[in-house]
Amino acid sequence: MNNSLLISRYSSLISLAIAALLYKETPPEQLQSLEDIEETVRQQVIERVSPEIGNFFIETKTGTTAGRTRIVKSMALLGF
């Protein structure tokens, strides 16, 4: 089995595991319609998944998780 196929299968398994964890932690009332599900998934990805991906890339590139604090313009426009 070649490396790209292994990576693809491994990524699929990890994605399913993350989805199962997020589903388990989601209140049933947030899963009533397709729109509710979409909003919930988007919010959970923003709050839980994206920061970890960002931290991974920062640590991989710089060798550290520490750095200067900054405000992301897109988040500032949303009032965060």
Side-chain angles (χ1 to χ4, degrees):
M1 191 176 297
N2 66 33
N3 283 345
S4 63
L5 183 58
L6 280 174
I7 291 169
S8 176
R9 288 187 178 174
Y10 187 65
S11 296
S12 294
L13 288 173
I14 291 171
S15 297
L16 286 173
I18 291 169
L21 288 170
L22 294 176
Y23 177 80
K24 182 180 173 187
E25 294 183 11
T26 302
E29 60 271 5
Q30 292 181 342
L31 301 172
Q32 298 300 314
S33 69
L34 185 57
E35 182 180 1
D36 292 341
I37 293 168
E38 184 179 355
E39 286 180 22
T40 300
V41 169
R42 183 179 293 120
Q43 190 62 35
Q44 288 183 343
V45 167
I46 289 169
E47 290 176 2
R48 299 174 182 205
V49 180
S50 292
E52 293 301 324
I53 293 171
N55 289 340
F56 171 81
F57 279 101
I58 290 169
E59 186 173 350
T60 301
K61 185 68 176 174
T62 66
T64 181
T65 57
R68 65 181 177 90
T69 304
R70 64 186 183 95
I71 296 174
V72 178
K73 290 180 184 177
S74 60
M75 296 303 284
L77 293 173
L78 295 174
F80 294 95

